[in-house]
């Protein structure tokens, strides 16, 4: 990367650095990640997040570690209804695996070699009896013994650790008031913890990217409602369905966003958290991208979008004051809080006409139907206001409008009050569409 690209990249990450500081993220990954030679890279990325002021709770799974221990003792893993049956011998294996995993993770967070990404970092890791559990009991005649489910998360205990700037590790074990230990599903612990903390994000580092059963296409984002509906249609592959179900549960319990990442992608966490489009599947309560009326707070974003177009002569120049007084006419497409498209409808009630103005899409998001979406939205709005036609003045996009039902017209056909302040030097084409 050359110096200019590096500086540009660093600056582009700034809004995310500010946005994430002080937020609480719960990160879940399977035991496979711990065995991966790249695991130290994941630890370095987590250390970086910690350094940027993000409050982290890590919830690792232990499935392969437990299987290996059972095998070493000549024991066969027992499953029923998709869940492990944990007998006393299996519980021993789980305790051993949990102890070893904790020590190994702590050791990695303690590294501070001068020329490593961990240089100069001091991260305190905390772990403890924050998860209270109860036995699953007997289900359909099967006694699950020491397999349990989360009963409660010690929210205050966890918060006090996070307040101290400690990074917390929660292993998939829970304790009962009778002093027993239960084996839990790590993803369930992560969901319950994220819900108890009302975490800003739950990040699931999955073994496979989130996929539909019928295609291998990347799923960039889903609202909770869409995810729920697709689960009902059995649209996801088996592993993805489990993660999406976890995401829906977490969001229903108050977690803002759940990201399902492919943990095999090096730096996936950083890409997802510090770039606009990320690389994971984001499941959120609110749509990630919305078309909504503009607010005064959107003005800097609208200006950022239209100033380059004004400079090249595509759009007519508007001052900030002009935008402030006409902001009620504007609609924006906001993507993850950033304005990526806008359009305005100025109404001329006496003529029964509306002017579609300032239609603009961010360069990176053109050609994907958003221009059409804004136009259709403005048309619908104009019809609701009983307007009979829509006009537009354009220097560069006449054909775009011609292909969408507009026809060329003359200045005389415009409302008289609009004609008065037309800049004839721009030599714009006039187009009209009857509604
Ligand atoms: C014009 C604009 C709003 C279209 O938005 P968009 O989201 O890219 O549009 P859509 O995805 O709905 O449509 C894309 C189609 O329009 C075509 N198109 C884009 N700009 C065009 C233009 N200036 N003239 C003719 N066709 C154009 C694309 O080639 C594409 O056609 P294709 O699918 O056949 O290749 C967008 O390109 C833009 O912001 N341009 C700069 C500002 C501008 O000119 N605004 C209009 C003046 S008010």
């Amino acid at each position: 990367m050359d110096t200019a690209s590096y500086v540009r990249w660093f600056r582009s990450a700034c809004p995310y650095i500010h946005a994430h500081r002080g937020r609480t993220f719960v990160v879940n990954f399977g035991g496979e990640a711990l065995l991966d030679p790249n695991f130290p890279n994941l630890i370095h990325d987590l250390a970086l997040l910690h350094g940027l002021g993000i409050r982290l709770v890590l919830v690792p799974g232990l499935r392969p570690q437990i299987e290996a221990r059972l095998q070493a003792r000549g024991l066969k893993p027992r499953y029923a209804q998709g869940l492990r049956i944990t007998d006393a011998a299996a519980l021993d294996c789980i305790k051993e695996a949990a102890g070893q995993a904790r020590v190994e993770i702590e050791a990695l967070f303690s590294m501070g070699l001068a020329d490593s990404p961990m240089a100069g970092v001091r991260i305190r890791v905390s772990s403890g009896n924050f998860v209270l559990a109860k036995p699953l009991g007997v289900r359909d005649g099967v006694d699950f013994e020491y397999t349990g489910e989360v009963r409660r998360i010690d929210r205050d205990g966890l918060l006090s650790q996070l307040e101290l700037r400690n990074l917390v590790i929660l292993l998939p074990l829970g304790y009962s008031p009778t002093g027993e230990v239960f084996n839990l599903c790590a993803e369930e612990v992560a969901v319950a913890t994220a819900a108890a903390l009302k975490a800003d994000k739950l990040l699931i580092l999955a073994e496979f990217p989130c996929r539909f059963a019928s295609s291998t296409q990347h799923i960039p984002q889903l609202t909770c409602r869409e995810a729920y509906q697709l689960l009902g249609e059995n649209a996801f592959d088996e592993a993805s369905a489990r993660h999406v179900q976890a995401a829906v549960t977490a969001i229903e319990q108050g977690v803002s966003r759940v990201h399902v990442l492919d943990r095999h992608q090096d730096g996936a966490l950083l890409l997802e958290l510090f770039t606009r489009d990320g690389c994971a599947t984001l499941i959120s309560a609110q749509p990630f991208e919305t078309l909504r009326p503009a607010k005064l707070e959107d003005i800097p974003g609208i200006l950022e979008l239209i100033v380059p177009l004004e400079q090249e002569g595509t759009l007519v120049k508007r001052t900030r004051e002009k935008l402030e007084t006409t902001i009620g006419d504007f609609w924006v497409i906001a993507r993850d809080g950033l304005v990526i498209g806008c359009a305005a409808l100025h109404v001329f009630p006496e003529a029964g006409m509306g002017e579609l103005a300032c239609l603009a899409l961010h360069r990176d998001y053109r050609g994907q139907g958003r221009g059409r979406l804004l136009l259709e939205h403005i048309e619908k709005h104009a019809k609701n206001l009983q307007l009979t036609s829509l006009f537009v003045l354009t220097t560069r996009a006449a054909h775009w409008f011609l292909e969408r039902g507009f026809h060329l017209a003359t200045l005389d056909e415009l409302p008289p009050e609009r004609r008065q302040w037309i800049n004839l030097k721009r030599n714009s084409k006039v187009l009209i569409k009857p509604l």
Side-chain angles (χ1 to χ4, degrees):
M1 195 191 275
D2 61 31
T3 318
S5 319
Y6 180 77
V7 170
R8 200 167 43 246
W9 167 81
F10 211 157
R11 284 180 181 152
S12 72
C14 277
Y16 300 98
I17 294 175
H18 295 306
H20 297 325
R21 179 167 299 127
R23 305 279 173 178
T24 304
F25 297 175
V26 175
V27 185
N28 165 238
F29 46 88
E32 293 82 359
L34 276 135
L35 302 172
D36 193 310
N38 274 330
F39 187 61
N41 286 342
L42 175 61
I43 294 287
H44 295 162
D45 292 349
L46 290 165
L48 174 64
L49 301 187
H50 176 84
L52 292 172
I54 295 168
R55 305 173 351 147
L56 290 174
V57 179
L58 309 187
V59 188
L62 296 170
R63 183 184 283 245
Q65 289 81 352
I66 297 167
E67 309 282 271
R69 280 180 168 75
L70 285 172
Q71 206 180 14
R73 293 188 187 192
L75 299 168
K76 276 216 156 55
R78 287 163 62 214
Y79 287 95
Q81 299 156 35
L83 297 165
R84 184 190 296 283
I85 300 172
T86 312
D87 55 22
L91 185 64
D92 264 351
C93 296
I94 294 162
K95 288 184 199 165
E96 272 177 36
Q100 179 155 3
R102 183 171 63 78
V103 171
E104 282 173 5
I105 297 173
E106 285 176 1
L108 284 168
F109 276 116
S110 308
M111 270 183 359
L113 291 178
D115 54 355
S116 86
M118 305 283 284
V121 185
R122 175 77 186 102
I123 299 177
R124 244 179 248 113
V125 179
S126 156
S127 179
N129 55 347
F130 299 108
V131 182
L132 302 172
K134 59 184 181 204
L136 264 190
V138 179
R139 297 194 175 189
D140 291 334
V142 180
D143 186 352
F144 282 90
E145 302 184 47
Y146 292 100
T147 300
E149 58 187 334
V150 176
R151 179 167 172 178
R152 202 171 61 247
I153 300 288
D154 177 5
R155 178 176 179 273
D156 293 343
L158 281 179
L159 284 176
S160 64
Q161 293 305 313
L162 295 172
E163 288 300 322
L164 290 169
R165 292 265 305 124
N166 291 350
L167 182 150
V168 180
I169 300 177
L170 292 183
L171 291 147
L173 290 174
Y175 305 90
S176 76
T178 53
E180 280 172 307
V181 183
F182 288 96
N183 169 32
L184 304 174
C185 158
E187 207 166 52
E188 189 197 329
V189 174
V191 168
T193 305
L197 294 174
K198 296 278 173 276
D200 299 284
K201 289 183 191 298
L202 166 62
L203 298 145
I204 300 176
L205 297 173
E207 283 307 296
F208 301 100
C210 197
R211 295 251 192 267
F212 289 124
S214 57
S215 91
T216 53
Q217 254 195 350
H218 173 57
I219 311 172
Q221 71 252 348
L222 295 169
T223 61
C224 186
R225 184 192 296 241
E226 288 166 339
Y228 184 78
Q229 195 176 335
L230 290 163
L231 279 170
E233 294 165 11
N234 282 329
F236 300 102
D237 69 21
E238 200 185 324
S240 302
R242 219 182 49 242
H243 300 314
V244 174
Q245 182 58 64
V248 168
T249 310
I251 290 168
E252 281 172 347
Q253 293 179 29
V255 178
S256 308
R257 289 172 167 204
V258 181
H259 306 244
V260 182
L261 301 98
D262 176 7
R263 72 140 184 108
H264 296 280
Q265 183 177 6
D266 191 25
L269 265 178
L270 304 184
L271 275 175
E272 180 60 13
L273 293 172
F274 299 101
T275 62
R276 189 184 312 178
D277 292 323
C279 63
T281 298
L282 168 66
I283 301 156
S284 56
Q286 296 298 328
F288 184 62
E289 194 174 298
T290 50
L291 200 176
R292 57 164 173 77
K295 301 179 277 195
L296 279 173
E297 302 86 280
D298 294 320
I299 289 180
I302 296 177
L303 282 169
E304 207 166 302
L305 196 66
I306 64 176
V307 166
L309 292 164
E310 292 172 358
Q311 284 166 353
E312 65 179 41
T314 305
L315 292 182
V316 70
K317 218 173 149 27
R318 282 172 182 77
T319 59
R320 177 182 281 267
E321 292 69 31
K322 177 85 184 155
L323 271 179
E324 279 173 9
T325 53
T326 56
I327 195 71
D329 292 352
F330 275 78
W331 296 80
V332 291
I333 296 183
R335 185 177 170 83
D336 200 15
L338 293 168
V339 175
I340 60 157
C342 67
L345 175 69
H346 303 310
V347 179
F348 297 88
E350 285 182 13
M353 296 179 92
E355 176 180 6
L356 166 62
C358 205
L359 173 65
L361 258 298
H362 186 288
R363 224 166 259 292
D364 293 350
Y365 297 96
R366 289 185 195 160
Q368 294 160 28
R370 291 183 181 85
R372 181 180 47 77
L373 197 74
L374 275 165
L375 171 64
E376 286 172 0
H377 189 79
I378 295 276
E379 282 179 13
K380 202 165 137 210
H381 186 47
K383 276 189 203 160
N384 285 342
L385 295 174
Q386 315 288 333
L387 301 179
T388 52
S389 62
L390 207 57
F391 68 90
V392 65
L393 286 118
T394 180
T395 52
R396 307 266 174 103
H399 275 249
W400 192 84
F401 291 104
L402 284 172
E403 288 170 26
R404 284 156 185 83
F406 285 76
H407 59 261
L408 280 170
T410 60
L411 288 176
D412 299 338
E413 294 171 70
L414 299 184
E417 66 264 48
R418 178 65 176 92
R419 257 181 274 152
Q420 285 166 14
W421 41 276
I422 279 181
N423 177 356
L424 291 172
K425 272 200 229 136
R426 280 181 60 77
N427 202 14
S428 304
K429 298 234 180 317
V430 180
L431 294 111
I432 294 185
K433 180 172 184 177
L435 294 171

